Amino acid sequence: MNFLPFIPRIAWMDAAEPWQLGFQDAATPVMQGIIDLHHDIFFFIVFVTCFVVWMLVRTLYHFHHTKNPIPEKIVHGTAIEIIWTVTPSLILILIAVPSFALLYSMEEVVDPALTVKAIGHQWYWSYEYSDYPETIAFDSYMIPEEDLELGQLRLLEVDNRVVVPAHTHIRIIITAADVLHSWAVPSLGIKCDAVPGRLNQVSTFIQREGVFYGQCSEICGTNHAFMPIVVEAVSLENYIAWVANKLEQA
């Protein structure tokens, strides 16, 4: 069930745009941290690239045969050796500090208010909510192109969305029933392998309501491209209504 017809609401859809090169809008603190780290590292990349290009152009210019017909023999330069050893080391340290901080924050275990189990199959996802007296379980298949309704996204829409409350600590347990899969939702900053016989977990805290699209990111067979992921973050009141409706159907 994608929408609750008895609860009117508007949900923003977070999906990739045609020819998009940048990141999708962040919906979690982890994804915002990834974007900020990317921008910080990109600054160093631009700085180093400009400096190296400048050095190459300067070297080609000054050591051209028309300006320096007699080649000079340079044996050793202590100062330059120290500079080009220390400077990259400092740059790497400046990059490493925020990188490790982000990695530790991604691995931080917070007492979750909700646990969702995602199971990868060839070629669909199934989900289980086991925090309630009766387990809520359902399969999530991609909607074929000929069955799409106006406004639905091709190759991304599913018949049963993962509905979760916004502003809530959520734990997602990820595994697979047959081969390797990968549960990935870019806007949430989540990409976790689904391994048969193994349980991987990620924590997330969605900061705004909306519909977030993802796809399996591990080549898992011929229909790998046809098992999308859709997470719908709603208000707590709407989530309680969704759970009640699911329990009634069980």
Side-chain angles (χ1 to χ4, degrees):
M1 179 179 239
N2 291 342
F3 297 95
L4 300 175
F6 47 89
I7 301 178
R9 67 182 186 277
I10 297 176
W12 299 106
M13 296 194 301
D14 284 68
E17 299 177 359
W19 302 99
Q20 180 175 347
L21 297 178
F23 293 101
Q24 296 182 27
D25 293 337
T28 64
V30 168
M31 187 57 196
Q32 187 60 53
I34 293 173
I35 294 175
D36 293 340
L37 179 62
H38 170 270
H39 293 344
D40 294 341
I41 293 178
F42 201 81
F43 166 78
F44 290 106
I45 292 175
V46 172
F47 172 77
V48 171
T49 301
C50 292
F51 177 75
V52 170
V53 170
W54 176 78
M55 286 293 294
L56 288 173
V57 173
R58 181 179 175 84
T59 301
L60 291 172
Y61 176 78
H62 286 288
F63 286 88
H64 193 266
H65 68 90
T66 57
K67 293 189 172 294
N68 192 16
I70 301 176
E72 296 182 7
K73 184 178 181 181
I74 301 175
V75 179
H76 184 68
T78 303
I80 193 66
E81 291 279 357
I82 294 175
I83 291 173
W84 71 36
T85 300
V86 173
T87 303
S89 300
L90 294 176
I91 293 176
L92 289 176
I93 291 173
L94 290 175
I95 293 175
V97 171
S99 299
F100 284 124
L102 180 60
L103 284 173
Y104 280 116
S105 67
M106 293 172 66
E107 296 296 329
E108 183 180 3
V109 178
V110 179
D111 187 22
L114 172 66
T115 297
V116 179
K117 185 177 181 181
I119 306 170
H121 304 265
Q122 289 182 314
W123 288 270
Y124 65 96
W125 294 95
S126 61
Y127 299 96
E128 296 178 2
Y129 295 66
S130 56
D131 294 329
Y132 307 106
E134 295 183 18
T135 299
I136 298 174
F138 55 87
D139 297 330
S140 181
Y141 289 88
M142 185 192 77
I143 297 179
E145 185 174 357
E146 59 272 15
D147 296 333
L148 289 175
E149 298 178 358
L150 183 64
Q152 292 184 328
L153 302 178
R154 175 178 173 271
L155 299 181
L156 287 178
E157 195 57 73
V158 297
D159 55 357
N160 287 301
R161 294 175 173 176
V162 182
V163 178
V164 295
H167 309 289
T168 303
H169 289 287
I170 303 168
R171 175 175 59 187
I172 304 172
I173 298 176
I174 301 167
T175 187
D178 35 46
V179 299
L180 289 175
H181 299 276
S182 183
W183 203 83
V185 183
S187 292
L188 306 184
I190 296 177
K191 183 179 183 297
C192 185
D193 287 344
V195 183
R198 178 173 178 175
L199 297 177
N200 291 329
Q201 74 170 11
V202 292
S203 298
T204 188
F205 183 87
I206 304 178
Q207 296 177 300
R208 56 185 170 86
E209 298 180 28
V211 182
F212 310 100
Y213 292 85
Q215 291 175 299
C216 176
S217 297
E218 184 75 41
I219 298 177
C220 56
T222 56
N223 288 333
H224 157 69
F226 305 104
M227 48 183 303
I229 303 160
V230 183
V231 178
E232 183 173 357
V234 300
S235 65
L236 183 59
E237 293 77 11
N238 289 354
Y239 175 73
I240 293 173
W242 179 83
V243 169
N245 185 57
K246 283 290 186 181
L247 292 175
E248 288 178 1
Q249 294 177 358

